[in-house]
Amino acid sequence: MKGKRNIFLVGPMGAGKTTIGKQLAEILKLEFVDSDHVLEERTGAPIDWIFDIEGEDGFRVREEKIIEELTQEQGIVLATGGGAVVSDKSRNHLAARGVVVYLETSIEQQLERTRRDKRRPLIQHGNPRETLEALMKEREPLYTEIADLTVATNISSVKSVAKEIVELM
Ligand code: S3P
């Protein structure tokens, strides 16, 4: 495992970071942490409220601080928010402090998995497909830049993706 003790999952909304992360943590006997969840617990407010009140910029400031803090943990599987990689600082922390796994998926799969979800305010309005495509164009180079491993999550089941990651490490 390259001597590193953390696994950081990056990838777009609906890639399966939370579901696969939980499975991976169970297999590897590590603690599972979801950065969006920690952020909601700390603020006492759901993600869409934070976006409403503080805007995306306000959310990103909070997200950057949480990533800085959580990447200092040892022995965790961390599911990051899809936009965490936009911050240079967060990318540096993720790349330096754990094995970064990019969960790659299709727009179809993202649309299927993110229907009616309040933790994804970026696709609550407008055309979700166009938004997801635009975000992917902007972020895919950032995911691949810091990824130690890239795993496709489209076809395989959660268990087999988690096993594949374990075997690749
Ligand atoms: C976001 C992804 C979400 C959440 C927020 C913003 C993004 O996390 O952090 O809605 O910018 O792509 P998931 O990737 O877990 O859906």
Side-chain angles (χ1 to χ4, degrees):
M1 224 207 264
K2 275 179 39 181
K4 296 178 180 177
R5 297 177 60 198
N6 292 320
I7 298 174
F8 302 137
L9 301 179
V10 300
M13 291 176 245
K17 297 182 296 278
T18 303
T19 4
I20 293 165
K22 282 184 181 163
Q23 192 76 44
L24 205 51
E26 205 179 307
I27 298 174
L28 296 171
K29 311 245 175 305
L30 298 173
E31 186 193 346
F32 175 73
V33 186
D34 178 328
S35 64
D36 280 340
H37 192 213
V38 173
L39 217 157
E40 287 185 323
E41 267 180 5
R42 296 275 173 89
T43 53
I47 301 288
D48 59 327
W49 282 27
I50 304 175
F51 267 74
D52 277 352
I53 297 163
E54 301 182 346
E56 184 175 348
D57 289 350
F59 172 80
R60 296 293 170 210
V61 171
R62 290 183 181 277
E63 184 177 48
E64 193 176 74
K65 282 195 194 132
I66 292 280
I67 297 286
E68 172 158 24
E69 182 190 320
L70 295 176
T71 50
Q72 293 184 54
E73 301 271 331
Q74 304 242 309
I76 64 164
V77 175
L78 174 67
T80 61
V85 294
V86 169
S87 151
D88 293 346
K89 210 168 154 190
S90 296
R91 283 205 309 288
N92 287 337
H93 287 321
L94 290 164
R97 298 172 175 170
V99 176
V100 179
V101 181
Y102 167 31
L103 298 184
E104 192 183 38
T105 194
S106 66
I107 300 284
E108 302 312 322
Q109 199 63 239
Q110 284 186 266
L111 284 167
E112 181 59 33
R113 291 194 185 131
T114 55
R115 273 184 302 153
R116 298 184 296 275
D117 192 333
K118 288 227 160 21
R119 285 173 77 185
R120 275 91 179 215
L122 289 176
I123 50 169
Q124 293 302 303
H125 311 286
N127 181 326
R129 177 183 294 274
E130 282 174 12
T131 306
L132 290 173
E133 280 171 355
L135 289 175
M136 187 53 103
K137 205 168 160 205
E138 176 199 336
R139 295 171 179 177
E140 174 136 57
L142 306 175
Y143 296 135
T144 51
E145 176 195 312
I146 57 165
D148 294 301
L149 294 176
T150 298
V151 179
T153 65
N154 278 332
I155 344 139
S156 328
S157 74
V158 171
K159 254 204 179 116
S160 60
V161 174
K163 276 196 188 141
E164 192 184 335
I165 295 170
V166 173
E167 276 158 21
L168 285 169
M169 284 196 309

